[in-house]
Structure formats: C-alpha cells, structure tokens
C-alpha cells in the first residue's frame, strides 16, 4: 500500500511562491521577450525592478523583495491587460501565448508576494539574516 504525500495548503503554496527569487526573474524574462524587439521603453522599465527584487531576495531581504515584486508585477499586469491584441487569432500565436503567460505570472506574483509582504515578520527575517550571513570573509 502506497503512502500518500500530505496535502499542501494554499497558504504554504502562496508563501513559497512569494518567497521565491525565481518568480520575478521569470516575469522579467517574459517581459523582455515581449517588449525588447521592437523596443518599448515603458514595459522594459519593470525589468530592472524585478531583477533587483530577485537579487534582494537572494541576499535575505525576503519581505522587502516581496513588496517590490508585488508592486512591479501588479502594475505591469494592469498595464498589460489594458492593451488589446488585434485579431482573435493573435491571442493564440506564440506572442499571444507569451503575453498571456506574462499576465498570468504577474497576477500570481502580485497575490503571492503581497501575501508574504502583508504577513511577513521583520524580526524573524532580521534574525535569520544575522544567523546566516550571505557574504562572509
């Protein structure tokens, strides 16, 4: 008889996604793929913010990183949802699928990172950074 794995709650999945440094990097990659050629400056302004957020997360500032990720992802998602793809068939092209993935990941990032930012304990995070320094000589 096989043992089943314990079910993972939605709360723990949200916290795992919001604490991940991969989520903002993935969204930055999709934004770059969509808006680099031809260059669209306004959407590309979100890429350095998301990459810095990922870097801050890796340095141990998970709550602050989650706040920056939620703000940048939410703003990009709102701006991307305002644009309309031309014809109906454009939604099912490669570019349309990548755009849909970027909007979807942006929405998930907003919810998950917002959850981590709202529920995070700064004292616990500060203690963790103190006990596990990233740059040691």
């Amino acid at each position: 008889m096989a043992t089943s794995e314990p079910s993972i709650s939605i709360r723990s999945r949200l916290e795992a996604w919001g604490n991940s440094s991969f989520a903002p990097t993935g969204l930055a990659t999709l934004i770059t793929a969509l808006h680099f050629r031809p260059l669209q400056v306004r959407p590309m302004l979100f890429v350095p913010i998301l990459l810095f957020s990922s870097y801050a997360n890796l340095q141990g500032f998970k709550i602050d990183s989650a706040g920056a990720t939620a703000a940048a992802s939410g703003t990009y998602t709102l701006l991307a949802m305002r644009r309309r793809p031309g014809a109906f068939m454009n939604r099912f092209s490669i570019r349309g699928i990548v755009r849909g993935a970027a909007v979807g990941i942006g929405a998930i990032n907003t919810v998950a990172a917002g959850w981590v930012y709202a529920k995070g304990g700064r004292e616990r995070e500060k203690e963790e950074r103190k006990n596990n320094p990233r740059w040691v000589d």
Side-chain angles (χ1 to χ4, degrees):
M1 187 170 183
T3 60
S4 63
E5 294 184 21
S7 62
I8 300 173
S9 69
I10 292 177
R11 179 177 175 236
S12 63
R13 286 182 191 239
L14 278 176
E15 287 177 0
W17 186 277
N19 283 326
S20 172
S21 64
F22 178 72
T25 305
L27 181 59
T29 303
L30 291 175
I31 291 171
T32 302
L34 285 170
H35 303 292
F36 193 67
R37 285 189 68 178
L39 183 65
Q40 298 170 347
V41 176
R42 277 183 245 135
M44 288 298 291
L45 291 175
F46 293 101
V47 173
I49 296 168
L50 290 166
L51 291 176
F52 175 75
S53 174
S54 180
Y55 174 76
N57 189 336
L58 291 173
Q59 294 305 314
F61 297 94
K62 294 187 183 298
I63 296 171
D64 296 327
S65 169
T69 298
S73 297
T75 306
Y76 175 77
T77 301
L78 287 176
L79 292 176
M81 289 179 68
R82 289 186 65 207
R83 293 188 299 271
R84 296 282 179 217
F88 179 74
M89 288 307 292
N90 286 347
R91 293 181 185 175
F92 299 107
S93 66
I94 297 297
R95 187 173 183 91
I97 292 170
V98 172
R99 181 179 179 272
V103 170
I105 289 175
I108 293 169
N109 279 354
T110 303
V111 171
W115 175 268
V116 169
Y117 184 73
K119 299 292 183 181
R122 293 200 181 273
E123 293 301 321
R124 183 173 34 112
E125 182 186 51
K126 186 176 181 181
E127 191 66 31
E128 182 180 325
R129 273 196 316 269
K130 193 168 133 183
N131 293 337
N132 300 319
R134 300 290 180 184
W135 301 99
V136 179
D137 289 358

